[in-house]
Amino acid sequence: PFSLIQMGICNLCNFERKLIDAHIIPKWAYMSLYSETENDSRSLILVAKNLLPSKKRIGLYDQNILCSGCDHFFGEYDNYAKKVFQDLPLEKYGTEAYLIKNIDIEKIRIFLVSVAWRAGISCMPEHDQVQIGTYKSKIREILIELKNNSIKQISKDYSFLVCKYEPGKLPPSIVNR
């Protein structure tokens, strides 16, 4: 079969390269959102503001943001986050929180910053609510330094709150957007 090679400027390395289907959010992070269809295949049902609901078999990706080398760089952090958020046992901490022990906070921080950056640079309508403003270039510089091994950690100025929702129990503020 004939396929067109999508050449363009990679948003991370800033070189003209073959651009790939880069996932913004790793597939493991939204697997619980998949629904079984009648033919037993899995599709992500996507609902976004100002868009008709649509099914995505392999999730959301953007063909216009990253080359394979830069996408591969994010893989280390995406895979580590999967281990922490999906594979490690969670210890209940009170009625509304979980405690995750013995993790590399820096890798999680890099993962979260990279997902925010990927969503912020994507022009896909599903990500149009993600606004990173002046942080776009600051985060890119940090990610380049990490990729080039110039630094080993990012600024502690970036704080995060990670929420876990049980399937079917999203808060009304998310459901009614």
Side-chain angles (χ1 to χ4, degrees), residues 1-175:
F2 177 74
S3 72
L4 217 52
I5 295 177
Q6 174 78 15
M7 295 295 288
I9 303 296
C10 173
N11 281 273
L12 187 60
C13 68
N14 211 28
F15 289 113
E16 184 171 4
R17 301 264 164 90
K18 177 184 175 195
L19 301 180
I20 62 155
D21 294 343
H23 280 89
I24 308 299
I25 300 170
K27 188 175 183 177
W28 63 263
Y30 52 81
M31 286 302 292
S32 64
L33 299 176
Y34 276 95
S35 66
E36 293 292 333
T37 60
E38 16 345 293
N39 63 0
D40 204 34
S41 63
R42 298 173 71 79
S43 293
L44 178 66
I45 299 173
L46 176 69
V47 180
K49 188 175 184 177
N50 301 325
L51 292 177
L52 294 173
S54 62
K55 291 184 178 183
K56 305 286 185 182
R57 293 222 180 269
I58 60 170
L60 292 174
Y61 60 87
D62 193 325
Q63 299 172 319
N64 300 304
I65 62 171
L66 294 172
C67 67
S68 64
C70 290
D71 185 65
H72 182 73
F73 161 72
F74 292 122
E76 173 189 351
Y77 302 101
D78 292 352
N79 292 336
Y80 185 75
K82 178 188 183 294
K83 176 184 167 189
V84 169
F85 294 130
Q86 193 172 53
D87 299 341
L88 288 179
L90 299 176
E91 180 182 314
K92 198 76 163 161
Y93 190 73
T95 58
E96 298 292 324
Y98 294 96
L99 179 65
I100 307 172
K101 296 180 178 179
N102 304 319
I103 64 169
D104 185 335
I105 295 294
E106 191 58 31
K107 281 187 176 181
I108 295 300
R109 187 183 315 237
I110 294 167
F111 163 74
L112 294 170
V113 165
S114 74
V115 169
W117 181 77
R118 286 179 270 180
I121 64 168
S122 176
C123 292
M124 295 178 62
E126 295 88 353
H127 304 292
D128 68 356
Q129 297 294 308
V130 179
Q131 303 295 320
I132 57 174
T134 60
Y135 289 103
K136 180 178 174 178
S137 60
K138 290 177 187 177
I139 293 172
R140 180 182 172 270
E141 289 172 19
I142 291 167
L143 294 171
I144 289 170
E145 289 179 357
L146 285 164
K147 185 175 182 242
N148 294 334
N149 292 314
S150 302
I151 60 171
K152 297 294 180 200
Q153 64 182 27
I154 63 173
S155 168
K156 298 207 182 329
D157 294 338
Y158 298 99
S159 299
F160 299 94
L161 174 64
V162 178
C163 299
K164 176 185 178 186
Y165 299 107
E166 297 299 323
K169 296 185 178 179
L170 291 174
S173 61
I174 293 175
V175 175

